[in-house]
Amino acid sequence: MIKAVVFDLDHTLFDRYETLKLCVPLFRERFKINTQITDEYFYKELSWADKNYVHHGWEEIFAHLVKCNIFEEVPDFKEYVEFLISCFKKVAVRYTFAIPTLEKIREMGYKTGLITNSEVHVQERKLEMLGLYPYLDEIVISGATDYRKPQKEIFQLMADNLGIATNEMMFVGDHPHFDIEGSRNAGCIPVWVKTTGTWIFPEFKKPEIQVETVAELPEILKEIQ
C-alpha cells in the first residue's frame, strides 16, 4: 500500500526550461555573447541542448552552445558551470501545477517528500524561491548526506524519515538512471515523468507508470488504491 509520494526536483516540480529562459539575460551580463545572437535563438538552443543532453552531462550542453557560436569569447567550462549554478540561486520557476498537485496528494492522505542531488545551499535556495517547503513533509538533499541518487541508501533514508518502508513509497522523477532505476533498486514504485522525452539508458527497463506531468498523479493514485 502506498503511503507516500516522493519527488525529484528538476524537470519534475521545477520548470527548468522556463528558468533557463530567465537565465539568458544573465548570460549576457556575465559573458561576451555573439552580437548576432538574439535572446530567442539563445534560449532555443539552450533549451534544446538541455532537453537532449541533460542526462548525459553538462559538458555536452556547453559543447552545443559553443558549436552554435553563442559565445564571442568562449568561457572556461568550469566558469560556465559555476555561473549557471549561481543563476539557479537567483531565478527559479515551478510548474504551475506543482503546488496544486502536492495539495491534492496530501488531501488524499499521502505524505510527500523530495530527494534531490546537488549542493545544499543551491537546492535550499531553489526550494525557497519555488515556495515548496510547506507542501513537503520531508526533504533530502544529497549534499547533506553521504549518498546521492541512484544509491539506494538515499531512498532508504527518505523512507526512514517518513516512517515507512521503501515499498510503500512512490518515487517520481525524470532521470532513467538516478530516479527510475535508483528508486526501483531501493524497492520503491518508480514513476517516470517524460519531461525531456529522452530515455538514453536501454539497459534499464522503463517503469510501468509513466506520466507527462505530475498533475496526472492524483488520478493514478485513485486507480491504484
Side-chain angles (χ1 to χ4, degrees):
M1 180 178 179
I2 299 170
K3 295 182 179 179
V5 183
V6 180
F7 298 84
D8 167 50
L9 183 56
D10 288 24
H11 287 307
T12 303
L13 300 175
F14 171 65
D15 191 338
R16 189 175 166 102
Y17 299 135
E18 286 301 309
T19 300
L20 288 175
K21 186 180 292 185
L22 298 179
C23 290
V24 169
L26 301 179
F27 268 90
R28 288 194 181 276
E29 293 176 6
R30 174 67 177 270
F31 302 114
K32 285 190 176 182
I33 305 300
N34 192 319
T35 55
Q36 297 179 344
I37 299 297
T38 64
D39 284 0
E40 290 75 17
Y41 178 78
F42 191 164
Y43 170 68
K44 179 174 76 72
E45 295 301 331
L46 178 58
S47 58
W48 183 90
D50 191 86
K51 186 180 184 69
N52 286 275
Y53 300 137
V54 67
H55 295 157
H56 294 263
W58 284 14
E59 292 89 350
E60 294 199 33
I61 298 174
F62 178 68
H64 179 77
L65 296 180
V66 173
K67 182 180 178 181
C68 291
N69 295 316
I70 296 295
F71 303 103
E72 186 174 310
E73 294 182 7
V74 179
D76 177 75
F77 175 67
K78 182 179 179 181
E79 183 184 5
Y80 164 84
V81 170
E82 290 176 349
F83 168 73
L84 192 55
I85 290 173
S86 74
C87 286
F88 290 151
K89 294 172 69 176
K90 297 176 183 176
V91 292
V93 180
R94 67 172 179 265
Y95 285 113
T96 56
F97 46 75
I99 287 178
T101 299
L102 289 170
E103 288 179 323
K104 287 180 184 177
I105 290 172
R106 287 160 70 97
E107 287 169 3
M108 294 170 70
Y110 299 99
K111 293 181 178 180
T112 57
L114 182 138
I115 302 175
T116 180
N117 284 352
S118 193
E119 299 175 27
V120 173
H121 66 94
V122 175
Q123 299 304 71
E124 284 186 343
R125 176 58 180 154
K126 204 183 285 184
L127 288 166
E128 181 182 344
M129 290 189 292
L130 296 172
L132 294 177
Y133 276 112
Y135 308 96
L136 297 165
D137 293 300
E138 291 289 339
I139 296 169
V140 173
I141 301 173
S142 67
T145 76
D146 294 327
Y147 314 109
R148 61 185 287 112
K149 296 181 295 183
Q151 291 177 290
K152 62 183 180 181
E153 288 87 353
I154 199 165
F155 298 98
Q156 183 64 59
L157 176 61
M158 171 58 75
D160 291 344
N161 290 349
L162 290 170
I164 62 174
T166 55
N167 64 6
E168 297 173 317
M169 187 170 92
M170 174 182 278
F171 188 80
V172 186
D174 71 291
H175 199 294
H177 187 194
F178 295 171
D179 298 325
I180 305 308
E181 188 66 9
S183 64
R184 178 191 284 132
N185 288 339
C188 306
I189 301 166
V191 177
W192 182 39
V193 182
K194 298 184 285 185
T195 311
T196 65
T198 56
W199 187 275
I200 62 168
F201 297 91
E203 66 271 31
F204 301 136
K205 181 181 177 182
K206 290 184 179 181
E208 181 179 342
I209 306 174
Q210 302 176 25
V211 297
E212 298 296 330
T213 75
V214 300
E216 300 171 45
L217 289 174
E219 287 302 317
I220 289 174
L221 287 166
K222 287 180 185 178
E223 294 176 6
I224 291 175
Q225 300 295 66

